[in-house]
Amino acid sequence: MPTILPALAAGALFGLGLIVSGMANPAKVLAFLDIAGEWDPSLAFVMGGAIPVAALGFALAKRRAAPLCAPAFSPPTKQGLDARLLGGAALFGIGWGLAGFCPGPALASFAFAGWKALLFVAAMLLGMAAFGRLSRPAPGPAPR
Amino acid sequence: MSTHFTPLASLLGGGMIGAAAALLWLSLGRIAGISGILGGLSSGGLSSGGSERAWRLAFLAGLIGAPLGYVAFIGMPGTEIAAGPVTLVLAGLLVGFGTRLGSGCTSGHGVCGIARLSPRSIAATLVFMATAAITVFITRHLTGG
């Protein structure tokens, strides 16, 4: 299974990076967002470390017609700014600011954050399912 | 609640996150956006074949499993979650719904999207950073705190 191994490795590296960087600690995330309080700028360094390395990967990929283990690149297809993008980002930010968890760190912290991470992720999956239900056309009768 | 400033560890960990995003793009041509990977599992989408599901599950297994290894071999990372159950549920609902509506979270927009210089991702990141900071300001400095 050629697609499983690189995906597993990328997920593992991502999870370890979240721990090493401090991003998996909600207190640190909130301290970064708390500009008026005892501001901890560490998470700007996470972005500062992640973005150039990721950009290098995307630049290297431009020389290739296809990825190493898949038939084609799958870039995001949506273009332009719209109310869904900005409204969704606004709601996400409110949730992120309330608890200090975003999706990756919440999953990565299952190993050490106990029931709080599980509860957050359960609610997050419910929120995702609610969106799926609302955005899908009304579930009609059985297909023809 | 105050935390220590950790520029080197955060830079190193950030580099690992960026390397993971680069690896997923170079090997499979996929964006390492956690909400998208997770959402694509449940919503199925138009192209939900077996391999479509397999790489997502493998990525999530690594994301959840590697920290278990970290705890076993290195130790418990420092973590502090001040939010109570009601706040966690409300926050989770907003994060789940908002990331699907806005097509991404900190990883997909904040890391991959900015690295690709996507105008959508740059705008989304500015918006969620702003509403997150405003939320923290309100909860910590205007109410209770």
Side-chain angles (χ1 to χ4, degrees), chain A residues 17-38:
Chain A
L18 287 171
I19 295 179
V20 170
S21 67
M23 190 85 196
N25 181 1
K28 208 154 168 65
V29 172
L30 294 178
F32 170 71
L33 294 169
D34 189 9
I35 300 162
E38 290 182 55

Side-chain angles (χ1 to χ4, degrees), chain B:
Chain B
M1 182 192 330
S2 66
T3 54
H4 295 292
F5 179 43
T6 55
L8 285 180
S10 290
L11 202 60
L12 174 68
M16 292 165 71
I17 293 168
L23 173 62
L24 197 65
W25 184 253
L26 285 165
S27 62
L28 301 181
R30 296 292 181 159
I31 296 290
I34 310 302
S35 59
I37 292 175
L38 205 53
L41 262 187
S42 55
S43 68
L46 298 171
S47 57
S48 62
S51 68
E52 184 61 24
R53 187 157 283 232
W55 78 265
R56 293 171 191 270
L57 288 174
F59 184 94
L60 294 172
L63 179 66
I64 296 170
L68 287 166
Y70 185 98
V71 169
F73 294 107
I74 299 175
M76 291 289 274
T79 187
E80 189 183 348
I81 307 163
V86 175
T87 305
L88 285 167
V89 168
L90 182 61
L93 289 171
L94 286 166
V95 168
F97 191 88
T99 52
R100 296 305 289 154
L101 180 64
S103 313
C105 57
T106 1
S107 48
H109 282 315
V111 174
C112 295
I114 291 182
R116 295 171 56 247
L117 297 176
S118 152
R120 275 173 61 86
S121 290
I122 292 168
T125 304
L126 289 173
V127 168
F128 69 65
M129 286 279 185
T131 57
I134 291 167
T135 302
V136 171
F137 183 79
I138 292 170
T139 54
R140 285 202 173 169
H141 301 288
L142 296 186
T143 64

Side-chain angles (χ1 to χ4, degrees), chain A residues 3-121:
Chain A
T3 65
I4 287 183
L5 282 181
L8 185 70
L13 189 58
F14 202 106
L16 293 177
L18 287 171
I19 295 179
V20 170
S21 67
M23 190 85 196
N25 181 1
K28 208 154 168 65
V29 172
L30 294 178
F32 170 71
L33 294 169
D34 189 9
I35 300 162
E38 290 182 55
W39 191 49
D40 177 354
S42 300
L43 294 203
F45 287 72
V46 182
M47 303 277 287
I51 290 169
V53 176
L56 185 66
F58 287 113
L60 285 173
K62 283 197 174 149
R63 299 183 186 177
R64 303 187 53 90
L68 295 164
C69 316
F73 289 104
S74 309
T77 51
K78 290 177 187 151
Q79 300 284 335
L81 307 184
D82 51 49
R84 287 167 69 115
L85 174 79
L86 302 177
L91 291 179
F92 162 50
I94 294 171
W96 191 34
L98 280 176
F101 267 139
C102 54
L107 292 168
S109 64
F110 274 0
F112 49 87
W115 66 270
K116 288 194 167 185
L118 288 168
L119 182 64
F120 175 88
V121 169

